[in-house]
Amino acid sequence: MNLISPPKADWQRLLSTAVCQLDQLLNELHLTPEQLPASVAAARDFPLRVPRPYLAKIRPGDPQDPLLLQVLPQQQELNLTPGFTTDPLHEAEHNPLPGLIHKYQGRVLLILSGACAINCRYCFRRHFPYSDNQLSSSQRTAILDYLRRDPSIHEVILSGGDPLAVPDQRLFSLLDELEAIEHLTRIRIHSRLPVVIPQRITPALCQRLANSRLHSVLVLHINHPHELDSPLVNALQPLRQAGVTLLNQAVLLKGINDRVECLATLSEQLFAASILPYYLFVLDQVQGAAHFQLSREQAQGLFRQLQARLPGYLVPRLAQEIPGRPNKTLLSGQ
Ligand SMILES: *Cc1c(COP(=O)(O)O)cnc(C)c1O
Ligand code: SF4
């Protein structure tokens, strides 16, 4: 019997060697502390975390790089802004069971993992009580019972954190159990992990999804054309061949992707990689992220320009999640 634990996959090694120190980040990007006003205090509140494949997409020597600004802890995060809270989506109220959010008809969101590969400064989950949302085996049993008992549920959305942060075997055993629930027809994975570590798209994952009786959808989270580089595009092709529908959601972020040229290029490049733009979210009002916010009018203005420029199928839905509503609220405006 082999008692040595299996070797870590490439992506797991990349996960554990992410850059988490500010001085290391500066060094790697050839920036000085004067050029880059990083905040140690903000990093204490919500740690810096950048895996190497994502770091490689950041242009060295540019303190305004749009990818860098998504991960850089900054002083302004510590400002308290009225209206910005720690649980803007009131998700705590819709947890029928730990790890499960059932807010929308026909679909549930299953928090498979509290972990993320990267820490995005604008994230609405930056204050989420993940320690209460780790999926233990008893919780998993309870969730599966809940799903079995409610035939109105057709789609399970794996979310997090990042659901692809869990090893393939755990994912596959969950899939086995979901496939056994007859009224389920779709599985959806919401993940940013392939964007920051393309190696996460393993041949085993592609094969398992190809063999599933459930239709599978992968919703990626790509905010800027620079994130969609050739290692990512190449890594996604086998998923497409496996019949997985690829969609993208982005967050509209001031100073990062708030120009119509940038958003139009993103849509065009997504399409070239066989990914359809799905949602463009306005920022959730989470404490520490106010400096990324555009006004509602600015967001709608950008959306109208985008609409005037692109075929309809390349225009993402401009949306917001408003607590208490039975669906995402479209701000597309007339
Ligand atoms: C966003 C979200 C969904 C999925 O919404 P779609 O409009 O189907 O993409 C489902 N449940 C929760 C709790 C959500 O926040
Ligand atoms: S949940 Fe998504 S947006 Fe939030 S930190 Fe994790 S990867 Fe980034």
Side-chain angles (χ1 to χ4, degrees):
M1 200 164 85
N2 183 3
L3 293 175
I4 301 167
S5 54
K8 284 198 163 184
D10 259 10
W11 69 267
Q12 287 172 308
R13 249 180 289 126
L14 288 162
L15 204 58
S16 58
T17 57
V19 171
C20 300
Q21 299 297 329
L22 280 173
D23 48 0
Q24 193 185 356
L25 181 74
L26 291 177
N27 243 335
E28 304 253 352
L29 295 174
H30 310 300
L31 290 165
T32 62
E34 293 71 42
Q35 284 172 299
L36 197 64
S39 163
V40 176
R44 222 175 282 126
D45 193 38
F46 182 50
L48 167 76
R49 187 175 171 82
V50 197
R52 295 207 161 262
Y54 193 81
L55 189 63
K57 305 185 208 206
I58 300 177
R59 287 175 308 216
D62 180 2
Q64 292 303 317
D65 181 273
L67 277 52
L68 173 60
L69 294 178
Q70 294 182 52
V71 297
L72 181 73
Q74 297 194 70
Q75 188 67 31
Q76 351 178 34
E77 293 175 26
L78 303 170
N79 300 343
L80 295 182
T81 311
F84 284 68
T85 66
T86 53
D87 180 16
L89 306 184
H90 302 198
E91 285 194 333
E93 295 165 19
H94 296 275
N95 268 13
L97 294 166
L100 191 74
I101 302 174
H102 191 184
K103 229 160 65 168
Y104 294 173
Q105 189 173 334
R107 51 226 197 273
V108 293
L109 207 129
L110 202 160
I111 311 270
L112 194 53
S113 155
C116 276
I118 187 166
N119 283 348
C120 312
R121 307 315 295 180
Y122 50 83
C123 182
F124 75 93
R125 293 185 189 278
R126 56 184 290 164
H127 306 282
F128 205 66
Y130 278 126
S131 50
D132 302 340
N133 277 278
Q134 299 289 347
L135 217 53
S136 68
S137 69
S138 63
Q139 283 166 355
R140 179 170 138 148
T141 305
I143 287 173
L144 288 164
D145 282 345
Y146 182 94
L147 296 177
R148 278 185 209 107
R149 278 197 309 264
D150 187 344
S152 75
I153 301 170
H154 301 301
E155 177 169 359
V156 173
I157 303 171
L158 305 183
S159 183
D162 202 307
L164 290 183
V166 309
D168 277 345
Q169 286 318 317
R170 260 192 70 201
L171 206 58
F172 298 170
S173 72
L174 178 65
L175 264 173
D176 292 341
E177 306 207 61
L178 294 176
E179 282 164 351
I181 303 176
E182 269 179 33
H183 52 267
L184 296 181
T185 56
R186 290 183 303 275
I187 176 95
R188 193 192 321 177
I189 302 174
H190 277 197
S191 176
R192 184 149 160 84
L193 222 153
V195 182
V196 301
I197 304 179
Q199 291 84 342
R200 178 63 188 92
I201 309 294
T202 58
L205 177 64
C206 296
Q207 197 180 5
R208 182 63 186 83
L209 292 175
N211 292 338
S212 179
R213 79 160 183 87
L214 302 169
H215 288 289
S216 46
V217 180
L218 174 63
V219 183
L220 294 154
H221 173 181
I222 302 170
N223 294 320
H224 191 280
H226 291 177
E227 293 176 1
L228 191 56
D229 59 354
S230 54
L232 173 56
V233 173
N234 295 337
L236 290 171
Q237 294 319 305
L239 270 182
R240 240 187 81 219
Q241 281 149 16
V244 177
T245 300
L246 301 177
L247 303 175
N248 186 59
Q249 57 184 36
V251 182
L252 186 56
L253 298 164
K254 187 170 164 181
I256 290 168
N257 59 8
D258 57 341
R259 293 182 40 240
V260 68
E261 293 74 23
C262 178
L263 293 170
T265 305
L266 177 60
S267 277
E268 301 270 12
Q269 293 189 359
L270 286 169
F271 184 74
S274 308
I275 308 165
L276 285 176
Y278 181 33
Y279 280 127
L280 177 61
F281 286 112
V282 299
L283 192 76
D284 293 307
Q285 299 208 321
V286 62
Q287 191 125 145
H291 55 290
F292 289 117
Q293 196 185 36
L294 292 165
S295 71
R296 169 80 70 99
E297 293 67 35
Q298 286 170 318
Q300 288 174 327
L302 268 170
F303 179 82
R304 278 192 296 271
Q305 292 176 55
L306 198 59
Q307 223 176 6
R309 222 180 241 240
L310 291 175
Y313 60 90
L314 291 189
V315 181
R317 298 154 182 81
L318 182 68
Q320 181 178 16
E321 203 180 329
I322 299 178
R325 302 254 176 110
N327 47 260
K328 307 263 188 269
T329 301
L330 296 186
L331 306 176
S332 312
Q334 279 73 42

mmCIF file of all heavy atoms in Angstrom, residues 6-28:
data_model
loop_
_atom_site.group_PDB
_atom_site.id
_atom_site.type_symbol
_atom_site.label_atom_id
_atom_site.label_comp_id
_atom_site.label_asym_id
_atom_site.label_seq_id
_atom_site.Cartn_x
_atom_site.Cartn_y
_atom_site.Cartn_z
ATOM 1 N N PRO A 6 -0.706 11.683 -2.513
ATOM 2 C CA PRO A 6 -0.475 11.897 -3.944
ATOM 3 C C PRO A 6 0.225 13.226 -4.191
ATOM 4 O O PRO A 6 0.033 14.175 -3.425
ATOM 5 C CB PRO A 6 -1.896 11.908 -4.530
ATOM 6 C CG PRO A 6 -2.817 12.124 -3.379
ATOM 7 C CD PRO A 6 -2.113 11.641 -2.157
ATOM 8 N N PRO A 7 1.038 13.294 -5.221
ATOM 9 C CA PRO A 7 1.727 14.560 -5.491
ATOM 10 C C PRO A 7 0.701 15.645 -5.793
ATOM 11 O O PRO A 7 -0.361 15.367 -6.347
ATOM 12 C CB PRO A 7 2.565 14.235 -6.741
ATOM 13 C CG PRO A 7 1.948 13.018 -7.336
ATOM 14 C CD PRO A 7 1.288 12.267 -6.234
ATOM 15 N N LYS A 8 1.035 16.853 -5.392
ATOM 16 C CA LYS A 8 0.110 17.953 -5.645
ATOM 17 C C LYS A 8 0.073 18.265 -7.132
ATOM 18 O O LYS A 8 1.095 18.207 -7.806
ATOM 19 C CB LYS A 8 0.566 19.186 -4.882
ATOM 20 C CG LYS A 8 0.243 19.096 -3.416
ATOM 21 C CD LYS A 8 0.287 20.463 -2.776
ATOM 22 C CE LYS A 8 -0.437 20.416 -1.444
ATOM 23 N NZ LYS A 8 -0.515 21.702 -0.817
ATOM 24 N N ALA A 9 -1.114 18.590 -7.598
ATOM 25 C CA ALA A 9 -1.233 18.996 -8.993
ATOM 26 C C ALA A 9 -0.523 20.345 -9.162
ATOM 27 O O ALA A 9 -0.322 21.075 -8.193
ATOM 28 C CB ALA A 9 -2.702 19.106 -9.367
ATOM 29 N N ASP A 10 -0.180 20.650 -10.388
ATOM 30 C CA ASP A 10 0.451 21.929 -10.710
ATOM 31 C C ASP A 10 -0.297 23.106 -10.121
ATOM 32 O O ASP A 10 0.285 24.011 -9.543
ATOM 33 C CB ASP A 10 0.396 22.114 -12.233
ATOM 34 C CG ASP A 10 1.717 21.777 -12.866
ATOM 35 O OD1 ASP A 10 2.572 21.237 -12.144
ATOM 36 O OD2 ASP A 10 1.855 22.054 -14.071
ATOM 37 N N TRP A 11 -1.613 23.068 -10.299
ATOM 38 C CA TRP A 11 -2.402 24.226 -9.858
ATOM 39 C C TRP A 11 -2.378 24.370 -8.349
ATOM 40 O O TRP A 11 -2.412 25.476 -7.820
ATOM 41 C CB TRP A 11 -3.828 24.157 -10.403
ATOM 42 C CG TRP A 11 -4.709 23.073 -9.831
ATOM 43 C CD1 TRP A 11 -4.893 21.827 -10.336
ATOM 44 C CD2 TRP A 11 -5.555 23.164 -8.671
ATOM 45 N NE1 TRP A 11 -5.782 21.124 -9.558
ATOM 46 C CE2 TRP A 11 -6.210 21.925 -8.535
ATOM 47 C CE3 TRP A 11 -5.821 24.175 -7.741
ATOM 48 C CZ2 TRP A 11 -7.126 21.659 -7.502
ATOM 49 C CZ3 TRP A 11 -6.730 23.913 -6.711
ATOM 50 C CH2 TRP A 11 -7.365 22.676 -6.597
ATOM 51 N N GLN A 12 -2.284 23.234 -7.644
ATOM 52 C CA GLN A 12 -2.247 23.318 -6.179
ATOM 53 C C GLN A 12 -0.931 23.915 -5.708
ATOM 54 O O GLN A 12 -0.893 24.650 -4.729
ATOM 55 C CB GLN A 12 -2.473 21.938 -5.569
ATOM 56 C CG GLN A 12 -3.932 21.517 -5.706
ATOM 57 C CD GLN A 12 -4.163 20.081 -5.287
ATOM 58 O OE1 GLN A 12 -3.480 19.183 -5.753
ATOM 59 N NE2 GLN A 12 -5.119 19.871 -4.404
ATOM 60 N N ARG A 13 0.127 23.590 -6.437
ATOM 61 C CA ARG A 13 1.417 24.194 -6.089
ATOM 62 C C ARG A 13 1.375 25.699 -6.353
ATOM 63 O O ARG A 13 1.854 26.493 -5.556
ATOM 64 C CB ARG A 13 2.552 23.545 -6.885
ATOM 65 C CG ARG A 13 3.467 22.723 -5.980
ATOM 66 C CD ARG A 13 4.588 22.069 -6.747
ATOM 67 N NE ARG A 13 4.070 20.989 -7.578
ATOM 68 C CZ ARG A 13 4.267 20.879 -8.884
ATOM 69 N NH1 ARG A 13 4.979 21.758 -9.533
ATOM 70 N NH2 ARG A 13 3.756 19.866 -9.555
ATOM 71 N N LEU A 14 0.750 26.083 -7.453
ATOM 72 C CA LEU A 14 0.653 27.512 -7.770
ATOM 73 C C LEU A 14 -0.226 28.237 -6.751
ATOM 74 O O LEU A 14 -0.014 29.407 -6.425
ATOM 75 C CB LEU A 14 0.103 27.697 -9.187
ATOM 76 C CG LEU A 14 1.114 27.323 -10.275
ATOM 77 C CD1 LEU A 14 0.429 27.099 -11.615
ATOM 78 C CD2 LEU A 14 2.187 28.407 -10.380
ATOM 79 N N LEU A 15 -1.207 27.502 -6.216
ATOM 80 C CA LEU A 15 -2.080 28.064 -5.190
ATOM 81 C C LEU A 15 -1.283 28.343 -3.915
ATOM 82 O O LEU A 15 -1.454 29.377 -3.271
ATOM 83 C CB LEU A 15 -3.181 27.040 -4.904
ATOM 84 C CG LEU A 15 -4.508 27.475 -4.327
ATOM 85 C CD1 LEU A 15 -5.171 28.496 -5.226
ATOM 86 C CD2 LEU A 15 -5.432 26.253 -4.181
ATOM 87 N N SER A 16 -0.383 27.423 -3.583
ATOM 88 C CA SER A 16 0.336 27.582 -2.316
ATOM 89 C C SER A 16 1.568 28.475 -2.445
ATOM 90 O O SER A 16 2.177 28.827 -1.442
ATOM 91 C CB SER A 16 0.712 26.213 -1.743
ATOM 92 O OG SER A 16 1.499 25.513 -2.673
ATOM 93 N N THR A 17 1.922 28.862 -3.670
ATOM 94 C CA THR A 17 3.079 29.758 -3.816
ATOM 95 C C THR A 17 2.661 31.160 -4.241
ATOM 96 O O THR A 17 3.460 31.916 -4.784
ATOM 97 C CB THR A 17 4.088 29.209 -4.851
ATOM 98 O OG1 THR A 17 3.398 29.037 -6.096
ATOM 99 C CG2 THR A 17 4.670 27.884 -4.423
ATOM 100 N N ALA A 18 1.402 31.499 -3.967
ATOM 101 C CA ALA A 18 0.927 32.848 -4.305
ATOM 102 C C ALA A 18 1.740 33.884 -3.529
ATOM 103 O O ALA A 18 2.197 33.620 -2.417
ATOM 104 C CB ALA A 18 -0.547 32.975 -3.954
ATOM 105 N N VAL A 19 1.885 35.061 -4.133
ATOM 106 C CA VAL A 19 2.606 36.152 -3.469
ATOM 107 C C VAL A 19 1.677 36.805 -2.445
ATOM 108 O O VAL A 19 0.564 37.238 -2.771
ATOM 109 C CB VAL A 19 3.079 37.186 -4.519
ATOM 110 C CG1 VAL A 19 3.637 38.436 -3.844
ATOM 111 C CG2 VAL A 19 4.122 36.550 -5.430
ATOM 112 N N CYS A 20 2.118 36.840 -1.185
ATOM 113 C CA CYS A 20 1.291 37.370 -0.100
ATOM 114 C C CYS A 20 1.977 38.493 0.671
ATOM 115 O O CYS A 20 1.439 38.992 1.657
ATOM 116 C CB CYS A 20 0.918 36.252 0.876
ATOM 117 S SG CYS A 20 -0.021 34.930 0.093
ATOM 118 N N GLN A 21 3.192 38.853 0.256
ATOM 119 C CA GLN A 21 3.938 39.909 0.946
ATOM 120 C C GLN A 21 4.048 41.126 0.042
ATOM 121 O O GLN A 21 4.438 41.002 -1.119
ATOM 122 C CB GLN A 21 5.358 39.427 1.287
ATOM 123 C CG GLN A 21 5.403 38.211 2.206
ATOM 124 C CD GLN A 21 4.791 38.485 3.568
ATOM 125 O OE1 GLN A 21 4.846 39.621 4.070
ATOM 126 N NE2 GLN A 21 4.185 37.465 4.152
ATOM 127 N N LEU A 22 3.759 42.299 0.618
ATOM 128 C CA LEU A 22 3.806 43.525 -0.184
ATOM 129 C C LEU A 22 5.190 43.792 -0.772
ATOM 130 O O LEU A 22 5.309 44.155 -1.951
ATOM 131 C CB LEU A 22 3.382 44.715 0.668
ATOM 132 C CG LEU A 22 1.877 44.881 0.851
ATOM 133 C CD1 LEU A 22 1.579 45.981 1.858
ATOM 134 C CD2 LEU A 22 1.220 45.200 -0.486
ATOM 135 N N ASP A 23 6.237 43.580 0.044
ATOM 136 C CA ASP A 23 7.571 43.903 -0.478
ATOM 137 C C ASP A 23 7.958 42.967 -1.625
ATOM 138 O O ASP A 23 8.595 43.377 -2.587
ATOM 139 C CB ASP A 23 8.636 43.913 0.631
ATOM 140 C CG ASP A 23 8.567 42.690 1.519
ATOM 141 O OD1 ASP A 23 7.689 41.830 1.276
ATOM 142 O OD2 ASP A 23 9.390 42.577 2.442
ATOM 143 N N GLN A 24 7.477 41.744 -1.530
ATOM 144 C CA GLN A 24 7.757 40.800 -2.616
ATOM 145 C C GLN A 24 7.031 41.232 -3.894
ATOM 146 O O GLN A 24 7.584 41.190 -4.996
ATOM 147 C CB GLN A 24 7.302 39.404 -2.185
ATOM 148 C CG GLN A 24 7.822 38.316 -3.088
ATOM 149 C CD GLN A 24 7.265 36.953 -2.706
ATOM 150 O OE1 GLN A 24 6.539 36.815 -1.712
ATOM 151 N NE2 GLN A 24 7.577 35.946 -3.497
ATOM 152 N N LEU A 25 5.793 41.679 -3.727
ATOM 153 C CA LEU A 25 5.021 42.153 -4.879
ATOM 154 C C LEU A 25 5.745 43.314 -5.565
ATOM 155 O O LEU A 25 5.910 43.340 -6.791
ATOM 156 C CB LEU A 25 3.620 42.599 -4.416
ATOM 157 C CG LEU A 25 2.683 43.102 -5.517
ATOM 158 C CD1 LEU A 25 2.171 41.944 -6.370
ATOM 159 C CD2 LEU A 25 1.496 43.861 -4.923
ATOM 160 N N LEU A 26 6.180 44.270 -4.743
ATOM 161 C CA LEU A 26 6.901 45.436 -5.281
ATOM 162 C C LEU A 26 8.145 45.004 -6.036
ATOM 163 O O LEU A 26 8.393 45.438 -7.154
ATOM 164 C CB LEU A 26 7.297 46.380 -4.142
ATOM 165 C CG LEU A 26 6.157 47.123 -3.445
ATOM 166 C CD1 LEU A 26 6.687 47.959 -2.295
ATOM 167 C CD2 LEU A 26 5.436 47.998 -4.439
ATOM 168 N N ASN A 27 8.894 44.144 -5.393
ATOM 169 C CA ASN A 27 10.124 43.641 -5.993
ATOM 170 C C ASN A 27 9.904 43.023 -7.362
ATOM 171 O O ASN A 27 10.574 43.335 -8.334
ATOM 172 C CB ASN A 27 10.674 42.535 -5.087
ATOM 173 C CG ASN A 27 12.011 42.932 -4.540
ATOM 174 O OD1 ASN A 27 12.699 43.742 -5.147
ATOM 175 N ND2 ASN A 27 12.362 42.378 -3.395
ATOM 176 N N GLU A 28 8.941 42.136 -7.399
ATOM 177 C CA GLU A 28 8.676 41.395 -8.636
ATOM 178 C C GLU A 28 8.230 42.331 -9.747
ATOM 179 O O GLU A 28 8.432 42.059 -10.917
ATOM 180 C CB GLU A 28 7.588 40.347 -8.391
ATOM 181 C CG GLU A 28 7.931 39.402 -7.263
ATOM 182 C CD GLU A 28 8.296 38.010 -7.751
ATOM 183 O OE1 GLU A 28 8.133 37.750 -8.953
ATOM 184 O OE2 GLU A 28 8.749 37.205 -6.905
#
